[in-house]
Amino acid sequence: MREPTIARNYAEALFTAGERSGDTERYADLLEAVAGAVAADERIRVVLDSPQIPKATKQGLLAAALRKRAPEPFIRFLGAVVKRGRQALIPAINVEYHGLLDHKLNRVHAGVVLARKPDKRLLTEIATRLSAAVRKEVILHAREDPRIVGGVIVRIGDRVMDGSLRHKLLQLRKQMLGA
């Protein structure tokens, strides 16, 4: 099996456990925190990746770190991931899990590029209009790029809507040179 498929299988297993216990969103937050800690702290990554450290020790360290913060089924899940030597997949499992949660909650993520830093009112307006267009809750990820001159570029999944002034000027140029 390929790694994305394996990560998806683990995410589905955790998601099912979260649904059963009513902790689906809490598991998402916990998994995000664990994946973030692994990515941010090289010491954690080295311990989890080291073949010299027994899997039982790694499981114990994770359990001790999460004991007062996470429910037992979540801790057992991470222990199972480590037991099978799949701890390097924790970031991918996190991504897959959040994809499942987004699907359940009927939401999508949209990358939005604006020429200047947007204010909250503008972001709310963009999110509202996009939500109406796609009939899902839209979570915006906005960034600034002065090269687009004006307007907005929106990416949802593999769909790109380019309403930037730069794009319009390029189209106009092509029309004028082609005529």
Side-chain angles (χ1 to χ4, degrees):
M1 254 190 244
R2 298 182 55 201
E3 287 188 5
T5 304
I6 295 168
R8 174 89 178 181
N9 289 342
Y10 277 102
E12 287 173 351
L14 182 61
F15 191 81
T16 301
E19 288 285 286
R20 261 190 257 122
S21 66
D23 284 332
T24 312
E25 292 184 58
R26 183 174 181 204
Y27 284 6
D29 294 339
L30 289 167
L31 192 55
E32 180 79 27
V34 171
V38 170
D41 192 333
E42 187 175 339
R43 295 173 299 171
I44 296 171
R45 198 169 41 256
V46 167
V47 168
L48 289 176
D49 290 342
S50 175
Q52 285 90 16
I53 299 174
K55 291 177 182 178
T57 303
K58 295 174 189 180
Q59 290 170 312
L61 290 170
L62 283 171
L66 295 170
R67 188 161 287 120
K68 294 182 181 179
R69 295 180 179 90
E72 190 60 34
F74 183 83
I75 295 170
R76 282 196 314 268
F77 169 80
L78 286 179
V81 170
V82 170
K83 180 180 179 181
R84 290 169 182 82
R86 303 290 190 182
Q87 59 273 12
L89 292 179
I90 290 174
I93 294 168
N94 179 47
V95 169
E96 293 291 338
Y97 188 93
H98 279 81
L100 293 169
L101 184 61
D102 287 341
H103 180 73
K104 176 191 176 210
L105 298 176
N106 196 36
R107 62 186 185 195
V108 295
H109 294 260
V112 176
V113 181
L114 299 153
R116 60 179 172 74
K117 186 173 180 167
D119 59 10
K120 288 193 184 267
R121 184 190 59 76
L122 179 60
L123 290 177
T124 302
E125 179 68 23
I126 292 170
T128 301
R129 288 186 182 200
L130 286 173
S131 293
V134 298
R135 294 185 180 100
K136 293 184 178 194
E137 176 189 354
V138 174
I139 299 169
L140 290 182
H141 303 279
R143 70 179 176 87
E144 178 181 356
D145 185 353
R147 295 177 297 171
I148 71 167
V149 183
V152 64
I153 301 172
V154 177
R155 175 184 291 272
I156 299 176
D158 60 355
R159 186 173 173 196
V160 177
M161 296 157 271
D162 191 341
S164 68
L165 187 55
R166 178 180 181 195
H167 179 73
K168 290 177 183 178
L169 290 171
L170 287 172
Q171 284 182 321
L172 180 61
R173 179 178 185 224
K174 285 180 186 177
Q175 287 176 352
M176 292 176 72
L177 290 176

